[in-house]
Amino acid sequence: MKQFCVNIESKAQRYERGKSLRLKGSQILLETLVKEGVDVIFGYPGGAVIDIYHELPNYPIRHVLVRHEQAAVHAADGYARSSGRIGVALVTSGPGATNTVTGIATAYMDSIPIVILTGQVPTMLIGNDAFQEADIVGITRPCTKHNYLVKDIVELAQVIREAFYIARTGRPGPVLIDLPKDVMNSFCEYDFPETIHLRGYNPTVKGHVGQIKRAVTEILNAEKPVLLGGGGVISSNGAEEFRFIAQKFKIPVATTLMGLGSFSENDDLSLGMLGMHGTYPANMSITNCDLLISVGARFDDRVTGKLDEFASLAKIIHIDIDPTSISKNVKVDIPIVGDVKTTLKQMTEILKKEDKGKEGKKKRKEWLDQIAEWKITYPLSYVQKNVIKPQFVVEKISELTKGEAIVTTEVGQNQMWTAQYYKFTRPRTLLTSGGLGTMGYGFPAAIGAQIAFPDRLVIDIAGDGSIQMNIQEMATAVQHGLPIKIAILNNGYLGMVRQWQELFYDRRYSQTHMNTAPDFIKLAEAYGAVGLRAVKPDEVVPLIQKALSTPRLVIMDFVVEPEECVYPMVPSGSPINKMLLV
Amino acid sequence: MQHTLSILVENKPGVLSRIAGLFSGRGFNIESLSVAETLDATISRMTIVTRGNDQILEQIIKQLNKLVNVIKVIDFVNGDFVNREMALIKVTVADENRSELLNIVDIFRGKVVDVGPDAYVVEVTGDGGKLDAIINLCKPMGIKEVARTGKVAMMRGTKQKG
């Protein structure tokens, strides 16, 4: 068998190699990845993927060695969310593969396009309980958009192309490819498949014109309309079209957690986030509107509260690429299946034609006045005394970064305070685990974002609990010289669960008091990073400034009010206008 | 309400598991299931009988369509369609009930496909009600075993729904 010697080839030769070449499975994999535009892989080697790692140095792909496979997937996810490109993770079989499951489920719930490559034992041994064997295709079937086990090298290139196509089209999502070791080290003619043919997969991109026309009529006639922006606005790159409709027709905008950044919060029309920890004006507007235009949002239970009373006075227009999202939770009047960006463009054209008298705007003055009043009566608020309030920290980070940093969060109070107090101005600047709620997501996601954007400021806003779920990635960040800033809102509690215990479980703080944590300054130093700490309110701003001017990985440890709660809060199962305010 | 779904899928490993997993993971119910290749060997037809209100059925069908390996889903809820199940029934026979059993099999247009000294295996095809009926009639004679297939279904006439 003729072995192709890649080492002596130039890059140009490699691309010119063309068809009818006998390549090893691992080479076919990497060739095809390069052709798909992959230039970085987050991964961790192991026995079943040695063949791939052996070939990797021959290809123009950067490899980021993580310290735990879960982090590889979160980093690929952070890379994808921040850049809009597909993130790729590569891990070994068995435990390497099972460690990716949380990361995959996180990406699946938030519709993030990533491709996960897992090693597998040789095909001969599959099903044999071999060393480091796990049925990862079986395990991840319910949390991937699709997955593959490549048993025959002939299918390899085609499968990789399909995986990338499926990951990025339609409602995006994670796709896993399981690669047995013998497939990676056997040979085959390489022929880059130019076409993809999937009989059962054909997502609807353009919205139905008749439905869009009906929607336009409703929009022009509405007196109290609200736009609801979800993650779909961001993932379809439709923020510009979304903003245009809002501003041109003076429609106030609420966003979901996943939709933050789809509309600048500096705009007067912005209502902020809605839902369980949504703002008063957002929740009141949704409850009182006569038309709700939901764009790329899926009406999660944290958004709707009690379903019967959610936007019960309104007609609902629902634009979403996934037909299963429509009328799953909330019954809608005008469903439009399609890509958000494409559909909004179609809608804008029709709106421009139909809106002759500009009557819509006049009628809305009363509604906009009402919203302005809600904003003044119940703004987000907290009282700062001698102890640092976590909200204050986020507010100052927001001011000092002008709302332009890429912000990742962990999950819990830190996430909600970030959503409330960081004023997002652009899409793809908030990376947060919205659907699955994965603690330990933020830091590895920040690594992925910083790899995608080496020159931008990336901040992980964390709690003292969740940062410890993937703290080992400090080594990854230092190894790659990534100047990420970690802000720990250190309250010594698993704060969100403690808050529920305080409000709904008789203050029985069962197992939420984390009274033993590492000294984060020493920890940072141990990893070769910088650790800073603020204890008093007047230390906060200088500390953030110092961190921002330090071109290294920095942990900012903010010792904050231990028993602060996130408000407003809608108790689980209540209507969203029944908020607990401060 | 009971629905019969006919699902055309790519004949690939793991497809059954994807469909079964979708039903269990989302709390839907499978009452019966049958799978076999179609004329095109790369495509299989699954016939699934399920139950739910309109909203649940809408979700089931949308979720099935979302699976990459699913080519087409047809809901036979109120269409003009034929549906059949088959059963093999092993009935104890003695001298006094032999002719009665053969009579019943004849009335139901079934067949005796295996004859033993003290038991016959009867093959019957029909809708679920017909199979229930013959099983009930055989019960007094003593049924040793029953094996029933899931339902298969098809539109009547020349109309082709996939």
Side-chain angles (χ1 to χ4, degrees):
Chain A
M1 206 171 273
K2 186 182 137 203
Q3 172 128 22
F4 203 85
C5 185
V6 262
N7 290 324
I8 54 164
E9 260 189 322
S10 75
K11 258 190 210 173
Q13 281 172 319
R14 197 155 53 231
Y15 289 117
E16 290 309 312
R17 210 186 283 154
K19 292 181 176 182
S20 296
L21 277 171
R22 258 185 114 63
L23 293 189
K24 246 169 99 174
S26 49
Q27 295 170 330
I28 293 176
L29 169 72
L30 293 163
E31 283 280 349
T32 315
L33 291 183
V34 170
K35 289 213 169 88
E36 286 289 348
V38 175
D39 56 8
V40 58
I41 288 178
F42 302 90
Y44 203 100
V49 285
I50 293 185
D51 297 275
I52 303 170
Y53 275 93
H54 185 71
E55 292 296 335
L56 188 58
N58 297 328
Y59 290 84
I61 296 177
R62 179 177 186 188
H63 184 268
V64 179
L65 177 66
V66 294
R67 298 301 187 271
H68 186 291
E69 289 91 348
Q70 183 191 346
V73 183
H74 288 326
D77 170 316
Y79 176 89
R81 289 191 209 222
S82 58
S83 70
R85 296 194 292 269
I86 294 182
V88 180
L90 169 61
V91 301
T92 193
S93 63
T98 56
N99 274 344
T100 64
V101 172
T102 303
I104 296 172
T106 303
Y108 183 63
M109 288 287 268
D110 290 345
S111 312
I112 306 304
I114 55 173
V115 171
I116 306 95
L117 307 165
T118 53
Q120 182 55 280
V121 300
T123 43
M124 287 274 294
L125 289 177
I126 290 177
N128 219 6
D129 299 325
F131 177 64
Q132 292 197 328
E133 180 185 357
D135 173 16
I136 197 63
V137 169
I139 291 169
T140 58
R141 216 169 263 141
C143 62
T144 48
K145 185 171 172 189
H146 196 57
N147 60 16
Y148 293 92
L149 166 63
V150 182
K151 278 186 151 176
D152 186 345
I153 189 170
V154 173
E155 297 167 2
L156 179 60
Q158 184 72 40
V159 163
I160 297 163
R161 289 225 59 196
E162 286 180 13
F164 276 79
Y165 179 72
I166 291 171
R168 71 169 171 265
T169 52
R171 178 176 177 175
V175 180
L176 180 140
I177 310 174
D178 203 17
L179 302 163
K181 190 176 166 83
D182 56 326
V183 172
M184 287 297 99
N185 62 24
S186 56
F187 288 81
C188 180
E189 301 296 316
Y190 178 57
D191 187 359
F192 181 74
E194 297 295 338
T195 56
I196 295 165
H197 178 59
L198 291 159
R199 279 187 288 193
Y201 181 76
N202 186 22
T204 309
V205 176
K206 279 184 88 172
H208 186 277
V209 178
Q211 292 290 82
I212 295 176
K213 281 187 177 155
R214 282 179 64 203
V216 163
T217 309
E218 294 296 340
I219 292 171
L220 293 175
N221 288 332
E223 289 178 21
K224 299 190 276 182
V226 176
L227 271 164
L228 172 57
V233 178
I234 294 168
S235 65
S236 76
N237 297 316
E240 189 49 40
E241 290 77 5
F242 186 68
R243 183 192 60 78
F244 181 84
I245 291 183
Q247 290 180 340
K248 171 105 178 158
F249 299 94
K250 292 274 174 272
I251 307 173
V253 177
T255 64
T256 66
L257 177 64
M258 297 304 299
L260 285 169
S262 64
F263 189 74
S264 172
E265 295 188 69
N266 293 334
D267 194 300
D268 277 347
L269 290 167
S270 171
L271 302 167
M273 182 176 73
L274 86 163
M276 181 175 275
H277 293 293
T279 66
Y280 185 82
N283 286 0
M284 292 304 283
S285 304
I286 297 285
T287 306
N288 292 288
C289 68
D290 65 357
L291 179 69
L292 176 61
I293 311 143
S294 171
V295 186
R298 62 184 174 89
F299 297 118
D300 175 84
D301 56 283
R302 288 295 194 263
V303 161
T304 61
K306 193 179 178 193
L307 270 175
D308 308 343
E309 297 183 38
F310 179 78
S312 54
L313 307 173
K315 283 205 171 164
I316 302 178
I317 299 168
H318 189 179
I319 303 173
D320 203 293
I321 191 138
D322 182 359
T324 68
S325 291
I326 288 173
S327 291
K328 182 172 68 177
N329 304 325
V330 171
K331 230 184 136 285
V332 301
D333 301 284
I334 306 178
I336 304 173
V337 176
D339 169 66
V340 164
K341 187 188 181 81
T342 314
T343 310
L344 289 184
K345 265 190 185 160
Q346 291 173 273
M347 188 176 269
T348 307
E349 290 309 309
I350 300 173
L351 269 169
K352 277 182 187 164
K353 263 186 243 159
E354 302 284 317
D355 180 42
K356 291 163 199 147
K358 308 209 166 172
E359 285 166 61
K361 277 190 203 170
K362 256 185 257 165
K363 274 189 276 178
R364 280 170 205 159
K365 187 175 180 306
E366 215 172 298
W367 175 234
L368 295 173
D369 288 348
Q370 168 70 73
I371 287 169
E373 192 189 309
W374 283 328
K375 283 187 182 176
I376 294 164
T377 326
Y378 291 108
L380 289 169
S381 66
Y382 60 90
V383 183
Q384 176 104 283
K385 287 178 189 159
N386 300 325
V387 188
I388 303 173
K389 283 293 172 89
Q391 300 93 322
F392 175 72
V393 175
V394 178
E395 202 168 61
K396 290 299 150 194
I397 292 176
S398 179
E399 285 170 21
L400 291 168
T401 60
K402 302 184 186 69
E404 287 183 348
I406 297 176
V407 179
T408 72
T409 77
E410 305 295 336
V411 165
Q413 289 184 318
N414 61 78
Q415 182 183 31
M416 289 300 109
W417 283 318
T418 304
Q420 293 178 334
Y421 288 91
Y422 195 93
K423 297 298 164 208
F424 293 94
T425 57
R426 300 202 255 163
R428 302 193 183 278
T429 51
L430 171 62
L431 320 182
T432 191
S433 170
L436 195 67
T438 308
M439 289 172 71
Y441 168 79
F443 182 37
I447 289 175
Q450 190 78 81
I451 292 282
F453 295 100
D455 300 326
R456 283 179 68 181
L457 176 62
V458 181
I459 303 181
D460 172 28
I461 299 181
D464 52 307
S466 43
I467 191 63
Q468 293 185 67
M469 281 213 185
N470 268 321
I471 193 77
Q472 77 286 346
E473 299 307 317
M474 295 282 288
T476 309
V478 171
Q479 182 184 345
H480 288 271
L482 306 177
I484 296 164
K485 311 291 176 261
I486 303 171
I488 301 177
L489 307 175
N490 189 345
N491 57 10
Y493 279 107
L494 297 175
M496 188 57 94
V497 180
R498 188 211 59 78
Q499 174 170 341
W500 282 52
Q501 289 171 331
E502 175 187 330
L503 298 174
F504 314 116
Y505 290 86
D506 303 328
R507 291 177 184 265
R508 182 180 283 193
Y509 295 162
S510 178
Q511 298 301 318
T512 43
H513 193 195
M514 274 201 150
N515 52 9
T516 305
D519 177 332
F520 287 109
I521 293 183
K522 285 185 186 162
L523 185 82
E525 285 164 0
Y527 274 111
V530 178
L532 305 168
R533 180 174 294 131
V535 180
K536 293 189 204 119
D538 58 6
E539 294 167 355
V540 169
V541 170
L543 185 134
I544 298 170
Q545 283 166 332
K546 187 169 177 200
L548 294 183
S549 60
T550 307
R552 293 171 62 192
L553 177 64
V554 181
I555 287 186
M556 296 175 269
D557 183 16
F558 296 100
V559 179
V560 299
E561 174 74 53
E563 300 201 8
E564 186 69 9
C565 286
V566 180
Y567 289 114
M569 177 173 192
V570 178
S572 190
S574 299
I576 58 167
N577 62 337
K578 299 283 185 297
M579 284 162 273
L580 305 175
L581 298 158
V582 182
Chain B
M1 180 173 186
Q2 203 186 56
H3 289 247
T4 305
L5 303 179
S6 182
I7 307 161
L8 292 175
V9 299
E10 291 183 285
N11 191 1
K12 288 190 173 169
V15 174
L16 175 61
S17 159
R18 284 181 207 282
I19 294 197
L22 188 154
F23 274 79
S24 65
R26 294 192 178 266
F28 306 143
N29 228 340
I30 295 182
E31 294 190 355
S32 85
L33 169 106
S34 74
V35 197
E37 274 180 15
T38 60
L39 273 179
D40 178 350
T42 65
I43 296 178
S44 293
R45 184 191 298 274
M46 289 189 186
T47 310
I48 293 183
V49 178
T50 184
R51 194 175 280 279
N53 59 27
D54 290 352
Q55 200 204 347
I56 289 172
L57 253 292
E58 185 184 329
Q59 265 299 308
I60 293 177
I61 292 168
K62 283 175 169 178
Q63 293 285 356
L64 284 169
N65 273 315
K66 198 167 145 181
L67 293 176
V68 172
N69 295 137
V70 170
I71 299 167
K72 191 164 189 177
V73 183
I74 305 142
D75 183 2
F76 279 136
V77 60
N78 43 20
D80 189 12
F81 70 102
V82 194
N83 72 86
R84 289 290 180 272
E85 289 175 46
M86 192 186 83
L88 295 173
I89 310 161
K90 191 181 281 175
V91 190
T92 319
V93 286
D95 290 341
E96 63 272 19
N97 66 13
R98 199 172 311 243
S99 60
E100 188 194 345
L101 176 64
L102 290 173
N103 258 337
I104 292 172
V105 171
D106 198 35
I107 293 166
F108 280 82
R109 279 182 275 171
K111 263 192 290 187
V112 176
V113 290
D114 183 65
V115 180
D118 52 1
Y120 284 4
V121 176
V122 175
E123 174 199 306
V124 213
T125 316
D127 62 17
K130 179 176 164 187
L131 300 193
D132 289 343
I134 188 169
I135 288 168
N136 280 331
L137 286 169
C138 293
K139 263 185 193 160
M141 294 174 240
I143 294 177
K144 287 177 185 282
E145 254 184 296
V146 174
R148 279 174 83 154
T149 64
K151 191 192 278 189
V152 291
M154 189 171 283
M155 292 301 292
R156 285 181 190 276
T158 48
K159 252 189 283 176
Q160 192 190 350
K161 273 187 126 184

